Amino acid sequence: MAEKHYTYLDYAASAPLRDVARDAWLAYHDKPWGVANANSLHTLGRSAARDLEAAHRMLARCIGCGFRPNEVILTSGGTESNNLAVLGMAEGARRKSANRRNLVVLSAIEHDSVLDVASILRGRGFEVVLARSGRDGVVSAEEVASVMGDSCALVSVMAANNETGVIQPTANIVEAAHAGGALAHVDAVQAFGRIDLDCAKADAVSVAAHKIGGPLGVGAVAMRMRCPFDAQSLGGGQELGRRPGTQDVAGAVAFAAAAELVCRELPSVRPAVEALANHVYERLCAPGTGIIPTTVAHVDHTRLPGMVSVMVPSMDSESLVLKLDDMGFEVSAGSACSSGSLDPSHVLSAMGIARDEALGSLRVSFDERVTLEELDAFCDALLGIVSAK
């Protein structure tokens, strides 16, 4: 019996491992120091440290925004990167201000790895305020400034939303945060490698390997050395004491290899993938299909390439995902991190989208490795499901 073919269209959850990342990971383990701790003083340890330093340099170069190699803190992924940055920076800013700054501003459309930190912050004596999104999925700098007050320690905002793909005005938000005396953190986990980051003045930026075709379980926070920060774990001086623990050098090397590739090819890949997403929107959201975009049907430089966010008001996401899965197409009901809930997406709710529309949301995501033919086959499948309801 032939094995069933699946077309994977959930790259925003986790992109397939790239050959360059796999090759780099395997090559590192074939080296004599592939087993060594990069913090050891012996010859193999020093060799591992050199490869680790090279990964830091490459990641700093790819993240850009003026970050230096020793400002890149390796983590276990995007969730830890966001947790670490938000908690550590908030605590550091409050300490530096002698407890005067105890307000943290998050946006209402943030990823759960940021929003779920709110309860911990409140338990530590912080006030947490959510900046609202417009119906267009954008959190404006004016909205952030309006809720900051004069006791704000930290503003955290995503570079681009992980459900809608809408790119946020991060440079303006960072400027507003600094004008109010607060630190600014940007969650670029979804945006890194897909767009040029507009974070030149941000105090910290979070990224993750598996979103760009690097290995699972590896991430980073680029954080200015001058940024007040309190480590959230103890046990060693690795990563300048900001994130103790023996580093996964092979993972860092593989992350760096994937990052170098996607950033080098970004100028040509982005418009090509944007064109593919435009094509999907045009097919799915044509008049009479019963499918509507979450914002607008045109994909341009206001949203991430390769992310299509639509709603089928007459159906629920779970049924759609399962029907598509049965036909060999793997997509997500909004954010994969919160799938399984019968409640509408918090992102779409924050945008003011009606419950019956939000419950039928789908996120389709891909990069240049998905073909036009595969996307057309997916569109045929979804349009057939909706027309047959």
Side-chain angles (χ1 to χ4, degrees):
M1 181 177 179
E3 184 176 349
K4 185 174 181 179
H5 173 74
Y6 289 93
T7 299
Y8 184 73
L9 298 171
D10 201 12
Y11 283 52
S14 192
L17 188 66
R18 293 181 181 272
D19 290 343
V20 292
R22 181 187 295 107
D23 292 346
W25 192 91
L26 291 172
Y28 180 80
H29 281 292
D30 283 340
K31 294 179 178 180
W33 53 89
V35 299
N37 187 324
N39 305 283
S40 298
L41 293 177
H42 49 60
T43 298
L44 295 185
R46 294 196 302 273
S47 296
R50 284 193 291 272
D51 280 354
L52 181 63
E53 182 181 356
H56 276 269
R57 286 198 303 272
M58 180 56 71
L59 290 172
R61 193 179 94 185
C62 292
I63 294 169
C65 308
F67 287 103
R68 295 174 292 181
N70 65 349
E71 293 178 319
V72 175
I73 307 166
L74 291 170
T75 69
S76 63
T79 292
E80 186 192 356
S81 293
N82 285 335
N83 285 189
L84 181 64
V86 173
L87 289 171
M89 293 170 69
E91 293 277 15
R94 181 170 64 177
R95 171 178 47 77
K96 185 177 180 180
S97 67
N99 295 323
R100 187 176 68 84
R101 293 190 174 272
N102 63 352
L103 172 70
V104 174
V105 175
L106 314 174
S107 89
I109 61 168
E110 294 302 301
H111 188 271
D112 289 340
S113 61
V114 171
L115 286 179
D116 286 354
V117 175
S119 60
I120 298 175
L121 288 168
R122 292 188 180 105
R124 296 183 182 184
F126 287 93
E127 179 185 359
V128 180
V129 176
L130 299 184
R132 296 172 299 176
S133 161
R135 177 59 182 81
D136 57 2
V138 174
V139 177
S140 70
E142 292 76 17
E143 166 66 12
V144 170
S146 73
V147 299
M148 282 181 60
D150 59 4
S151 64
C152 188
L154 172 69
V155 172
S156 180
V157 65
M158 54 185 16
N161 187 262
N162 57 295
E163 294 188 35
T164 65
V166 173
I167 298 170
Q168 304 300 314
T170 50
N172 293 338
I173 292 173
V174 168
E175 184 177 352
H178 288 168
L183 298 175
H185 163 250
V186 175
D187 169 10
V189 168
Q190 202 62 243
F192 178 57
R194 294 185 172 92
I195 61 173
D196 292 317
L197 299 182
D198 194 6
C199 305
K201 296 183 179 180
D203 298 291
V205 175
S206 297
V207 296
H210 73 110
K211 301 295 188 180
I212 61 170
L216 287 161
V218 186
V221 182
M223 185 180 297
R224 313 289 180 192
M225 290 299 295
R226 57 172 164 72
C227 180
F229 174 84
D230 288 359
Q232 299 300 299
S233 57
L234 305 172
Q238 295 90 346
E239 303 302 294
L240 299 182
R242 293 186 164 192
R243 199 270 192 177
T246 302
Q247 299 98 328
D248 176 5
V249 182
V253 168
F255 185 8
E260 191 279 331
L261 175 67
V262 298
C263 291
R264 171 166 43 87
E265 296 187 345
L266 180 60
S268 60
V269 166
R270 179 174 180 175
V273 179
E274 281 179 341
L276 290 174
N278 268 330
H279 177 76
V280 174
Y281 268 118
E282 289 166 1
R283 287 208 58 196
L284 295 182
C285 300
T289 62
I291 303 172
I292 57 178
T294 55
T295 51
V296 294
H298 178 63
V299 181
D300 54 23
H301 276 48
T302 66
R303 68 185 66 231
L304 291 178
M307 189 179 293
V308 173
S309 177
V310 297
M311 299 176 292
V312 185
S314 60
M315 301 184 71
D316 67 271
S317 298
E318 183 178 2
S319 296
L320 287 167
V321 169
L322 292 176
K323 287 178 182 291
L324 287 165
D325 176 62
D326 189 55
M327 298 173 73
F329 298 97
E330 311 297 273
V331 301
S332 171
S335 169
C337 297
S338 57
S339 295
S341 169
L342 294 178
D343 293 326
S345 152
H346 75 273
V347 171
L348 302 187
S349 295
M351 290 168 57
I353 294 175
R355 176 184 173 84
D356 61 338
E357 293 182 350
L359 285 174
S361 67
L362 285 179
R363 182 187 68 186
V364 185
S365 51
F366 49 88
D367 65 21
E368 74 281 5
R369 292 173 285 177
V370 173
T371 67
L372 177 62
E373 291 73 22
E374 290 173 317
L375 290 171
D376 270 331
F378 160 75
C379 289
D380 290 341
L382 179 55
L383 291 168
I385 291 170
V386 176
S387 66
K389 68 179 187 301

